[in-house]
PDB file of all heavy atoms in Angstrom:
ATOM      1  N   ASP B   1     142.888  32.169 111.766  1.00 96.00           N
ATOM      2  CA  ASP B   1     143.128  32.670 110.410  1.00 96.00           C
ATOM      3  C   ASP B   1     141.765  32.776 109.769  1.00 96.00           C
ATOM      4  O   ASP B   1     141.271  31.768 109.209  1.00 96.00           O
ATOM      5  CB  ASP B   1     144.074  31.738 109.680  1.00 96.00           C
ATOM      6  CG  ASP B   1     144.385  32.200 108.255  1.00 96.00           C
ATOM      7  OD1 ASP B   1     143.634  32.990 107.701  1.00 96.00           O
ATOM      8  OD2 ASP B   1     145.408  31.713 107.715  1.00 96.00           O
ATOM      9  N   LEU B   2     141.160  33.923 109.836  1.00 96.00           N
ATOM     10  CA  LEU B   2     139.776  34.078 109.380  1.00 96.00           C
ATOM     11  C   LEU B   2     139.531  33.525 107.968  1.00 96.00           C
ATOM     12  O   LEU B   2     138.568  32.845 107.730  1.00 96.00           O
ATOM     13  CB  LEU B   2     139.366  35.564 109.459  1.00 96.00           C
ATOM     14  CG  LEU B   2     138.861  36.086 110.820  1.00 96.00           C
ATOM     15  CD1 LEU B   2     138.875  37.573 110.837  1.00 96.00           C
ATOM     16  CD2 LEU B   2     137.488  35.499 111.127  1.00 96.00           C
ATOM     17  N   THR B   3     140.429  33.846 107.070  1.00 97.00           N
ATOM     18  CA  THR B   3     140.209  33.423 105.647  1.00 97.00           C
ATOM     19  C   THR B   3     140.360  31.968 105.454  1.00 97.00           C
ATOM     20  O   THR B   3     139.497  31.273 104.890  1.00 97.00           O
ATOM     21  CB  THR B   3     141.187  34.207 104.744  1.00 97.00           C
ATOM     22  OG1 THR B   3     141.089  35.615 104.996  1.00 97.00           O
ATOM     23  CG2 THR B   3     140.853  33.922 103.300  1.00 97.00           C
ATOM     24  N   ALA B   4     141.478  31.390 105.951  1.00 97.00           N
ATOM     25  CA  ALA B   4     141.710  29.978 105.753  1.00 97.00           C
ATOM     26  C   ALA B   4     140.771  29.116 106.655  1.00 97.00           C
ATOM     27  O   ALA B   4     140.334  28.048 106.283  1.00 97.00           O
ATOM     28  CB  ALA B   4     143.148  29.617 106.084  1.00 97.00           C
ATOM     29  N   ASP B   5     140.449  29.646 107.839  1.00 97.00           N
ATOM     30  CA  ASP B   5     139.564  28.931 108.733  1.00 97.00           C
ATOM     31  C   ASP B   5     138.179  28.768 108.115  1.00 97.00           C
ATOM     32  O   ASP B   5     137.527  27.724 108.254  1.00 97.00           O
ATOM     33  CB  ASP B   5     139.418  29.680 110.078  1.00 97.00           C
ATOM     34  CG  ASP B   5     140.662  29.570 110.970  1.00 97.00           C
ATOM     35  OD1 ASP B   5     141.559  28.771 110.580  1.00 97.00           O
ATOM     36  OD2 ASP B   5     140.734  30.221 112.005  1.00 97.00           O
ATOM     37  N   ALA B   6     137.716  29.827 107.440  1.00 97.00           N
ATOM     38  CA  ALA B   6     136.399  29.731 106.829  1.00 97.00           C
ATOM     39  C   ALA B   6     136.379  28.637 105.784  1.00 97.00           C
ATOM     40  O   ALA B   6     135.358  27.924 105.610  1.00 97.00           O
ATOM     41  CB  ALA B   6     136.059  31.084 106.172  1.00 97.00           C
ATOM     42  N   TYR B   7     137.480  28.461 105.047  1.00 97.00           N
ATOM     43  CA  TYR B   7     137.550  27.374 104.075  1.00 97.00           C
ATOM     44  C   TYR B   7     137.650  26.021 104.719  1.00 97.00           C
ATOM     45  O   TYR B   7     136.946  25.069 104.394  1.00 97.00           O
ATOM     46  CB  TYR B   7     138.747  27.592 103.167  1.00 97.00           C
ATOM     47  CG  TYR B   7     138.907  26.600 102.045  1.00 97.00           C
ATOM     48  CD1 TYR B   7     137.865  26.356 101.164  1.00 97.00           C
ATOM     49  CD2 TYR B   7     140.095  25.876 101.866  1.00 97.00           C
ATOM     50  CE1 TYR B   7     137.974  25.416 100.122  1.00 97.00           C
ATOM     51  CE2 TYR B   7     140.219  24.961 100.855  1.00 97.00           C
ATOM     52  CZ  TYR B   7     139.174  24.740 100.000  1.00 97.00           C
ATOM     53  OH  TYR B   7     139.274  23.803  98.967  1.00 97.00           O
ATOM     54  N   ALA B   8     138.473  25.917 105.795  1.00 96.00           N
ATOM     55  CA  ALA B   8     138.616  24.651 106.514  1.00 96.00           C
ATOM     56  C   ALA B   8     137.322  24.225 107.176  1.00 96.00           C
ATOM     57  O   ALA B   8     137.067  23.017 107.332  1.00 96.00           O
ATOM     58  CB  ALA B   8     139.708  24.775 107.545  1.00 96.00           C
ATOM     59  N   ALA B   9     136.488  25.191 107.550  1.00 95.00           N
ATOM     60  CA  ALA B   9     135.237  24.861 108.190  1.00 95.00           C
ATOM     61  C   ALA B   9     134.247  24.134 107.276  1.00 95.00           C
ATOM     62  O   ALA B   9     133.224  23.585 107.732  1.00 95.00           O
ATOM     63  CB  ALA B   9     134.565  26.149 108.707  1.00 95.00           C
ATOM     64  N   LEU B  10     134.570  24.051 105.979  1.00 96.00           N
ATOM     65  CA  LEU B  10     133.733  23.355 105.029  1.00 96.00           C
ATOM     66  C   LEU B  10     134.006  21.877 104.988  1.00 96.00           C
ATOM     67  O   LEU B  10     133.444  21.118 104.181  1.00 96.00           O
ATOM     68  CB  LEU B  10     133.944  23.937 103.620  1.00 96.00           C
ATOM     69  CG  LEU B  10     133.633  25.382 103.429  1.00 96.00           C
ATOM     70  CD1 LEU B  10     133.949  25.818 101.996  1.00 96.00           C
ATOM     71  CD2 LEU B  10     132.180  25.733 103.761  1.00 96.00           C
ATOM     72  N   MET B  11     134.906  21.370 105.875  1.00 92.00           N
ATOM     73  CA  MET B  11     135.285  19.965 105.870  1.00 92.00           C
ATOM     74  C   MET B  11     134.055  19.034 106.009  1.00 92.00           C
ATOM     75  O   MET B  11     133.980  17.985 105.348  1.00 92.00           O
ATOM     76  CB  MET B  11     136.311  19.684 106.946  1.00 92.00           C
ATOM     77  CG  MET B  11     137.725  19.867 106.513  1.00 92.00           C
ATOM     78  SD  MET B  11     138.919  19.208 107.727  1.00 92.00           S
ATOM     79  CE  MET B  11     138.649  20.288 109.109  1.00 92.00           C
ATOM     80  N   ARG B  12     133.152  19.364 106.856  1.00 89.00           N
ATOM     81  CA  ARG B  12     131.976  18.507 107.069  1.00 89.00           C
ATOM     82  C   ARG B  12     131.135  18.381 105.786  1.00 89.00           C
ATOM     83  O   ARG B  12     130.495  17.383 105.532  1.00 89.00           O
ATOM     84  CB  ARG B  12     131.144  18.995 108.219  1.00 89.00           C
ATOM     85  CG  ARG B  12     131.790  18.754 109.595  1.00 89.00           C
ATOM     86  CD  ARG B  12     130.838  19.100 110.720  1.00 89.00           C
ATOM     87  NE  ARG B  12     131.375  18.693 112.017  1.00 89.00           N
ATOM     88  CZ  ARG B  12     130.774  18.871 113.146  1.00 89.00           C
ATOM     89  NH1 ARG B  12     129.584  19.508 113.174  1.00 89.00           N
ATOM     90  NH2 ARG B  12     131.319  18.494 114.285  1.00 89.00           N
ATOM     91  N   GLU B  13     131.131  19.456 105.015  1.00 91.00           N
ATOM     92  CA  GLU B  13     130.322  19.469 103.779  1.00 91.00           C
ATOM     93  C   GLU B  13     131.031  18.808 102.625  1.00 91.00           C
ATOM     94  O   GLU B  13     130.455  18.044 101.864  1.00 91.00           O
ATOM     95  CB  GLU B  13     129.980  20.929 103.401  1.00 91.00           C
ATOM     96  CG  GLU B  13     129.226  21.050 102.133  1.00 91.00           C
ATOM     97  CD  GLU B  13     128.976  22.541 101.767  1.00 91.00           C
ATOM     98  OE1 GLU B  13     129.207  23.433 102.637  1.00 91.00           O
ATOM     99  OE2 GLU B  13     128.554  22.820 100.643  1.00 91.00           O
ATOM    100  N   HIS B  14     132.366  19.082 102.483  1.00 92.00           N
ATOM    101  CA  HIS B  14     133.090  18.598 101.313  1.00 92.00           C
ATOM    102  C   HIS B  14     134.061  17.438 101.621  1.00 92.00           C
ATOM    103  O   HIS B  14     134.459  16.697 100.726  1.00 92.00           O
ATOM    104  CB  HIS B  14     133.917  19.718 100.707  1.00 92.00           C
ATOM    105  CG  HIS B  14     133.082  20.827 100.119  1.00 92.00           C
ATOM    106  ND1 HIS B  14     132.600  20.817  98.862  1.00 92.00           N
ATOM    107  CD2 HIS B  14     132.676  21.989 100.662  1.00 92.00           C
ATOM    108  CE1 HIS B  14     131.885  21.908  98.605  1.00 92.00           C
ATOM    109  NE2 HIS B  14     131.895  22.671  99.698  1.00 92.00           N
ATOM    110  N   GLY B  15     134.476  17.296 102.892  1.00 90.00           N
ATOM    111  CA  GLY B  15     135.513  16.352 103.228  1.00 90.00           C
ATOM    112  C   GLY B  15     136.889  16.984 103.085  1.00 90.00           C
ATOM    113  O   GLY B  15     137.092  17.830 102.209  1.00 90.00           O
ATOM    114  N   PHE B  16     137.835  16.537 103.929  1.00 86.00           N
ATOM    115  CA  PHE B  16     139.138  17.231 103.926  1.00 86.00           C
ATOM    116  C   PHE B  16     139.908  16.993 102.643  1.00 86.00           C
ATOM    117  O   PHE B  16     140.591  17.879 102.156  1.00 86.00           O
ATOM    118  CB  PHE B  16     139.945  16.810 105.158  1.00 86.00           C
ATOM    119  CG  PHE B  16     140.832  15.625 104.995  1.00 86.00           C
ATOM    120  CD1 PHE B  16     142.161  15.759 104.654  1.00 86.00           C
ATOM    121  CD2 PHE B  16     140.328  14.336 105.198  1.00 86.00           C
ATOM    122  CE1 PHE B  16     142.980  14.660 104.518  1.00 86.00           C
ATOM    123  CE2 PHE B  16     141.133  13.247 105.056  1.00 86.00           C
ATOM    124  CZ  PHE B  16     142.464  13.393 104.739  1.00 86.00           C
ATOM    125  N   ARG B  17     139.777  15.806 102.012  1.00 91.00           N
ATOM    126  CA  ARG B  17     140.537  15.552 100.790  1.00 91.00           C
ATOM    127  C   ARG B  17     140.069  16.435  99.647  1.00 91.00           C
ATOM    128  O   ARG B  17     140.847  16.938  98.846  1.00 91.00           O
ATOM    129  CB  ARG B  17     140.395  14.069 100.423  1.00 91.00           C
ATOM    130  CG  ARG B  17     141.057  13.676  99.126  1.00 91.00           C
ATOM    131  CD  ARG B  17     142.527  14.133  99.015  1.00 91.00           C
ATOM    132  NE  ARG B  17     143.337  13.607 100.076  1.00 91.00           N
ATOM    133  CZ  ARG B  17     144.613  13.981 100.266  1.00 91.00           C
ATOM    134  NH1 ARG B  17     145.105  14.955  99.541  1.00 91.00           N
ATOM    135  NH2 ARG B  17     145.289  13.468 101.252  1.00 91.00           N
ATOM    136  N   ALA B  18     138.757  16.674  99.544  1.00 94.00           N
ATOM    137  CA  ALA B  18     138.243  17.534  98.509  1.00 94.00           C
ATOM    138  C   ALA B  18     138.720  18.929  98.687  1.00 94.00           C
ATOM    139  O   ALA B  18     139.061  19.636  97.696  1.00 94.00           O
ATOM    140  CB  ALA B  18     136.698  17.512  98.504  1.00 94.00           C
ATOM    141  N   LEU B  19     138.818  19.430  99.922  1.00 95.00           N
ATOM    142  CA  LEU B  19     139.329  20.777 100.143  1.00 95.00           C
ATOM    143  C   LEU B  19     140.786  20.876  99.724  1.00 95.00           C
ATOM    144  O   LEU B  19     141.190  21.867  99.130  1.00 95.00           O
ATOM    145  CB  LEU B  19     139.202  21.141 101.626  1.00 95.00           C
ATOM    146  CG  LEU B  19     137.771  21.275 102.192  1.00 95.00           C
ATOM    147  CD1 LEU B  19     137.841  21.830 103.601  1.00 95.00           C
ATOM    148  CD2 LEU B  19     136.917  22.189 101.352  1.00 95.00           C
ATOM    149  N   VAL B  20     141.569  19.870 100.042  1.00 94.00           N
ATOM    150  CA  VAL B  20     142.984  19.872  99.653  1.00 94.00           C
ATOM    151  C   VAL B  20     143.086  19.851  98.122  1.00 94.00           C
ATOM    152  O   VAL B  20     143.891  20.643  97.531  1.00 94.00           O
ATOM    153  CB  VAL B  20     143.702  18.660 100.257  1.00 94.00           C
ATOM    154  CG1 VAL B  20     145.094  18.520  99.667  1.00 94.00           C
ATOM    155  CG2 VAL B  20     143.809  18.778 101.772  1.00 94.00           C
ATOM    156  N   ASP B  21     142.313  19.022  97.462  1.00 95.00           N
ATOM    157  CA  ASP B  21     142.393  18.953  96.005  1.00 95.00           C
ATOM    158  C   ASP B  21     141.999  20.219  95.352  1.00 95.00           C
ATOM    159  O   ASP B  21     142.656  20.656  94.355  1.00 95.00           O
ATOM    160  CB  ASP B  21     141.471  17.796  95.510  1.00 95.00           C
ATOM    161  CG  ASP B  21     141.984  16.414  95.882  1.00 95.00           C
ATOM    162  OD1 ASP B  21     143.168  16.289  96.265  1.00 95.00           O
ATOM    163  OD2 ASP B  21     141.237  15.449  95.859  1.00 95.00           O
ATOM    164  N   MET B  22     140.932  20.877  95.815  1.00 97.00           N
ATOM    165  CA  MET B  22     140.511  22.130  95.219  1.00 97.00           C
ATOM    166  C   MET B  22     141.558  23.210  95.443  1.00 97.00           C
ATOM    167  O   MET B  22     141.837  24.017  94.525  1.00 97.00           O
ATOM    168  CB  MET B  22     139.135  22.613  95.793  1.00 97.00           C
ATOM    169  CG  MET B  22     137.985  21.833  95.242  1.00 97.00           C
ATOM    170  SD  MET B  22     136.384  22.575  95.630  1.00 97.00           S
ATOM    171  CE  MET B  22     136.297  22.248  97.418  1.00 97.00           C
ATOM    172  N   LEU B  23     142.186  23.282  96.592  1.00 97.00           N
ATOM    173  CA  LEU B  23     143.204  24.249  96.855  1.00 97.00           C
ATOM    174  C   LEU B  23     144.407  23.981  95.969  1.00 97.00           C
ATOM    175  O   LEU B  23     145.020  24.927  95.415  1.00 97.00           O
ATOM    176  CB  LEU B  23     143.627  24.216  98.316  1.00 97.00           C
ATOM    177  CG  LEU B  23     144.745  25.195  98.723  1.00 97.00           C
ATOM    178  CD1 LEU B  23     144.310  26.643  98.425  1.00 97.00           C
ATOM    179  CD2 LEU B  23     145.087  25.060 100.190  1.00 97.00           C
ATOM    180  N   THR B  24     144.768  22.743  95.779  1.00 96.00           N
ATOM    181  CA  THR B  24     145.902  22.412  94.900  1.00 96.00           C
ATOM    182  C   THR B  24     145.641  22.914  93.515  1.00 96.00           C
ATOM    183  O   THR B  24     146.505  23.517  92.867  1.00 96.00           O
ATOM    184  CB  THR B  24     146.098  20.886  94.903  1.00 96.00           C
ATOM    185  OG1 THR B  24     146.412  20.460  96.225  1.00 96.00           O
ATOM    186  CG2 THR B  24     147.262  20.502  93.976  1.00 96.00           C
ATOM    187  N   ARG B  25     144.489  22.661  93.000  1.00 97.00           N
ATOM    188  CA  ARG B  25     144.131  23.107  91.635  1.00 97.00           C
ATOM    189  C   ARG B  25     144.096  24.623  91.567  1.00 97.00           C
ATOM    190  O   ARG B  25     144.542  25.208  90.556  1.00 97.00           O
ATOM    191  CB  ARG B  25     142.774  22.528  91.215  1.00 97.00           C
ATOM    192  CG  ARG B  25     142.808  21.007  90.909  1.00 97.00           C
ATOM    193  CD  ARG B  25     141.408  20.513  90.682  1.00 97.00           C
ATOM    194  NE  ARG B  25     140.681  21.250  89.648  1.00 97.00           N
ATOM    195  CZ  ARG B  25     139.362  21.237  89.525  1.00 97.00           C
ATOM    196  NH1 ARG B  25     138.629  20.581  90.381  1.00 97.00           N
ATOM    197  NH2 ARG B  25     138.802  21.925  88.546  1.00 97.00           N
ATOM    198  N   ALA B  26     143.565  25.271  92.568  1.00 97.00           N
ATOM    199  CA  ALA B  26     143.515  26.735  92.557  1.00 97.00           C
ATOM    200  C   ALA B  26     144.901  27.318  92.538  1.00 97.00           C
ATOM    201  O   ALA B  26     145.159  28.339  91.874  1.00 97.00           O
ATOM    202  CB  ALA B  26     142.776  27.243  93.805  1.00 97.00           C
ATOM    203  N   CYS B  27     145.868  26.728  93.230  1.00 97.00           N
ATOM    204  CA  CYS B  27     147.219  27.215  93.221  1.00 97.00           C
ATOM    205  C   CYS B  27     147.876  26.951  91.864  1.00 97.00           C
ATOM    206  O   CYS B  27     148.598  27.842  91.351  1.00 97.00           O
ATOM    207  CB  CYS B  27     148.050  26.521  94.300  1.00 97.00           C
ATOM    208  SG  CYS B  27     147.637  27.031  95.993  1.00 97.00           S
TER     209      CYS B  27
END
């Protein structure tokens, strides 16, 4: 999934919890 994969690939930089939190707020 090119779009979601690009976001998930940021885990090393932001951490998985931060990615989840930002997505939750964006929704």
Side-chain angles (χ1 to χ4, degrees):
D1 180 340
L2 275 165
T3 307
D5 287 353
Y7 183 55
L10 301 177
M11 272 192 293
R12 287 187 172 180
E13 177 182 349
H14 295 275
F16 89 96
R17 177 51 59 187
L19 295 188
V20 170
D21 290 343
M22 284 192 290
L23 179 59
T24 299
R25 288 173 54 200
C27 288

